[in-house]
Amino acid sequence: MPFEALLENYLAVFLATIVGTILVATALIGTRILAPYSKDRAKVTSYECGMVPIGRTRAQIHVRYYLFAILFLIFDVEAIFLFPWAVNVAQASHSAFWAMVLFIGILAAGLGYAWRKGVLQWNR
Amino acid sequence: MMRAVILAAPSVDALDNPALSALLGLIVITLIMTLGVMFATWYERKAVARMQQRLGPMRVGPWGLLQPIADTLKLVSKEGVRPASADRIAWDLSLAAIFVPAFLVLVAIPFTADWFVSPMDLSLLYILAVGGLSFIGFLLAGWGSDNKYALLGGMRAAAQLISYEIPMILSMLAVVMVVGSADVYRIILYQDVVPLIVWQPLAFIIFLTATIAELERQPFDIPTGESEVAGGVFIEYSGIRWSLFQLTGYVNMYAYSLLGAFVFLGGWEWPFGTDIGWGYQLLLTMVKMALFIVFFLWVRTSFPRLRVDQLMSYAWKVLLPFALAQIFLNGLVLVYDLPDVVLLATSGGGALALCWLVYSVVRVKPRQPLRMVGNVPATAPGSVSG
């Protein structure tokens, strides 16, 4: 019964999501009831340097953040691919091992290319 | 029929119902978590103070033991100010997006051989996957605060968390290869004679470094550095919202310390075996977890904060190649049925190489005499290294 096995493994996770959300909501409602509250125009400005900030806050972000995010995606997907292989590697055949080494090697070569191109250098 | 029985006699049938027993476990975990975090705040202040030759909190209660209670009361009754221009939904949603994953990690952790909230076949994969979600909360908080420091801090937090996620997953993958299971419970049982830190020292060092970075603790606290981004995403949060961020940080510290104690130090299994009873098992787990926490505090007081480029370079240029090498060597040993000693030799050699590499970069170079050009000192060549 795959669904019952799923339920057995992840029912608690589902419940914990609900309980965690309730905990956060309780804290927010509790502070709404307990804490004093007063409105003040100066109080609700951005906490920067006492003046009203100039310019948009949602500024443009440097492109290197996106490059690292793309690299992260590649290697995270690689890690997911590796997990089932890693569990069975001790019983696997030699060819299964070398096939995965080829896969890791291609990704490592990609990392080397990114390194060479200066993607991994933060302050260019 | 079943439901009627449970409603009639909850005390008898509660543990037969998976939902009710899970709920009971969650309540227990919530209580332990709250008390543990309160103790951790006190302990961190006290331990760091002693390392800096101060006394730390002394006024509230004996040795300042009641300080966390006073802090909680103060934080709950403090006004929560929200900037008028903040994004209302992202502002409060970020709290849930950070706290809930930290809470979810605790579900899969086997505290003793008999007591855990939920048995899980892939608990290690689950812990890594759910633990990696927290960067979304930092992004939301940074975006929702409508503050330049918060946005920068959120972006930095996301970049750092995703970068160190990779070496951490790969170091765990090396352990999974040796054990042949992605279940934390089986990994603990595997270590009944020798803990895995002996077979996989390189993976352990990578895990330890990546953990400090994932927890955003000093010296990896670049996203929340006071002198650079004025507290990062925390800048606009106050009162209970700020304390929820702190709470999550400590819960994550406990969770990752427990994970390290289970995966590398043998958890409750090593060195006494499974039969010593749950009390001693719990004690053994706590002692091993405390080793990690004390180590984090020690590192915190010993090292200055890294620069952001050093941080990213270290993850991608040092830890990631070493982790890939560790996986390759493990595969070689396991597929060709080489003896376990080779595992120790290759991983130990890798660990020594990694330590030597770090040492050769960060060691203090001998000071060179100033060269004078006219009556101004010339800038010393090659004094800065990435």
Side-chain angles (χ1 to χ4, degrees):
Chain A
M1 297 283 173
F3 180 72
E4 280 183 7
L6 199 70
L7 199 67
E8 192 185 323
N9 274 338
Y10 296 104
L11 177 71
V13 177
F14 178 66
L15 285 173
T17 316
I18 298 172
V19 172
T21 318
I22 289 174
L23 284 177
V24 174
T26 321
L28 294 184
I29 295 169
T31 193
R32 188 80 196 182
I33 295 168
L34 290 176
Y37 187 73
S38 71
K39 226 175 160 66
D40 188 306
R41 256 187 70 217
K43 197 157 62 180
V44 294
T45 55
S46 285
Y47 183 76
E48 276 180 23
C49 46
M51 314 289 285
V52 177
I54 296 172
R56 288 178 67 227
T57 309
R58 273 111 202 206
Q60 289 185 337
I61 304 298
H62 199 286
V63 71
R64 58 197 171 202
Y65 287 96
Y66 298 99
L67 292 176
F68 276 107
I70 291 169
L71 274 179
F72 163 73
L73 267 186
I74 294 167
F75 279 93
D76 217 26
V77 171
E78 181 207 7
I80 297 296
F81 273 137
L82 284 175
F83 250 98
W85 169 80
V87 171
N88 295 312
V89 71
Q91 296 95 44
S93 62
H94 294 186
S95 64
F97 170 65
W98 287 109
M100 208 42 128
V101 169
L102 186 68
F103 175 62
I104 297 175
I106 292 170
L107 280 165
L111 181 71
Y113 179 71
W115 193 336
R116 186 84 191 277
K117 282 282 181 184
V119 173
L120 305 184
Q121 194 63 37
W122 189 262
N123 45 353
R124 255 172 300 165
Chain B
M1 183 63 201
M2 193 69 190
R3 189 166 293 169
V5 170
I6 290 163
L7 285 176
S11 57
V12 179
D13 277 9
L15 293 175
D16 290 343
N17 185 330
L20 268 182
S21 68
L23 209 58
L24 263 172
L26 288 175
I27 292 168
V28 173
I29 274 193
T30 310
L31 290 176
I32 297 174
M33 180 188 77
T34 318
L35 289 175
V37 168
M38 285 168 90
F39 178 76
T41 55
W42 174 82
Y43 183 74
E44 173 158 18
R45 288 182 65 183
K46 205 73 182 168
V48 169
R50 296 314 298 224
M51 288 182 199
Q52 296 170 343
Q53 302 194 344
R54 296 183 286 116
L55 286 176
M58 286 296 279
R59 297 288 172 135
V60 193
W63 304 290
L65 260 173
L66 298 179
Q67 186 71 45
I69 296 172
D71 286 346
T72 312
L73 284 178
K74 180 251 181 182
L75 283 167
V76 167
S77 58
K78 187 179 171 182
E79 178 180 352
V81 181
R82 185 184 62 223
S85 53
D87 188 324
R88 210 176 243 242
I89 296 169
W91 167 261
D92 276 339
L93 198 62
S94 66
L95 296 171
I98 285 178
F99 176 75
V100 172
F103 190 63
L104 285 182
V105 166
L106 297 178
V107 170
I109 285 179
F111 290 93
T112 71
D114 306 317
W115 197 79
F116 37 79
V117 177
S118 170
M120 224 178 267
D121 301 332
L122 287 169
S123 47
L124 185 61
L125 183 62
Y126 165 82
I127 289 172
L128 291 173
V130 174
L133 282 176
S134 61
F135 78 92
I136 296 172
F138 283 103
L139 272 181
L140 269 176
W143 190 259
S145 295
D146 195 37
N147 185 309
K148 284 164 191 148
Y149 294 120
L151 184 62
L152 266 179
M155 282 292 170
R156 281 180 170 197
Q160 171 174 335
L161 291 182
I162 63 175
S163 292
Y164 279 86
E165 192 73 24
I166 305 283
M168 169 174 273
I169 294 177
L170 292 182
S171 70
M172 285 293 172
L173 202 68
V175 172
V176 167
M177 288 169 82
V178 175
V179 179
S181 171
D183 186 352
V184 176
Y185 197 86
R186 296 237 182 91
I187 293 175
I188 297 168
L189 289 182
Y190 179 85
Q191 310 175 62
D192 50 353
V193 184
V194 185
L196 272 163
I197 184 176
V198 175
W199 302 126
Q200 300 283 291
L202 177 58
F204 177 70
I205 291 179
I206 294 172
F207 170 78
L208 205 57
T209 320
T211 300
I212 302 176
E214 286 282 310
L215 295 173
E216 298 181 8
R217 297 189 68 77
Q218 296 85 344
F220 293 101
D221 63 337
I222 290 159
T224 54
E226 291 85 2
S227 52
E228 295 169 24
V229 284
V233 292
F234 304 144
I235 184 169
E236 293 285 8
Y237 287 89
S238 60
I240 198 83
R241 292 180 172 84
W242 179 85
S243 55
L244 271 174
F245 276 115
Q246 296 298 312
L247 176 90
T248 310
Y250 282 107
V251 171
N252 274 329
M253 185 171 83
Y254 275 121
Y256 280 114
S257 304
L258 279 169
L259 190 64
F262 287 143
V263 172
F264 287 103
L265 299 187
W268 32 259
E269 179 74 21
W270 182 79
F272 299 120
T274 318
D275 302 328
I276 54 168
W278 67 270
Y280 287 109
Q281 284 180 358
L282 203 60
L283 190 69
L284 204 57
T285 308
M286 292 300 148
V287 167
K288 287 173 179 174
M289 181 188 79
L291 286 180
F292 277 88
I293 292 177
V294 170
F295 177 77
F296 293 153
L297 298 183
W298 189 9
V299 167
R300 173 188 164 164
T301 45
S302 304
F303 293 106
R305 187 182 296 138
L306 294 173
R307 287 200 316 263
V308 64
D309 63 311
Q310 293 169 332
L311 174 96
M312 301 303 273
S313 300
Y314 190 57
W316 290 98
K317 294 181 184 172
V318 181
L319 289 184
L320 180 57
F322 271 96
L324 289 176
Q326 170 77 85
I327 287 172
F328 172 70
L329 291 171
N330 275 358
L332 216 55
V333 174
L334 291 170
V335 166
Y336 286 96
D337 277 332
L338 302 176
D340 281 352
V341 184
V342 185
L343 218 55
L344 168 64
T346 51
S347 189
L352 286 179
L354 178 60
C355 293
W356 178 81
L357 188 69
V358 172
Y359 171 73
S360 67
V361 172
V362 301
R363 79 180 154 164
V364 180
K365 273 112 190 157
R367 182 173 293 215
Q368 298 189 342
L370 283 179
R371 282 188 305 116
M372 302 298 277
V373 179
N375 47 9
V376 245
T379 45
S383 60
V384 178
S385 60

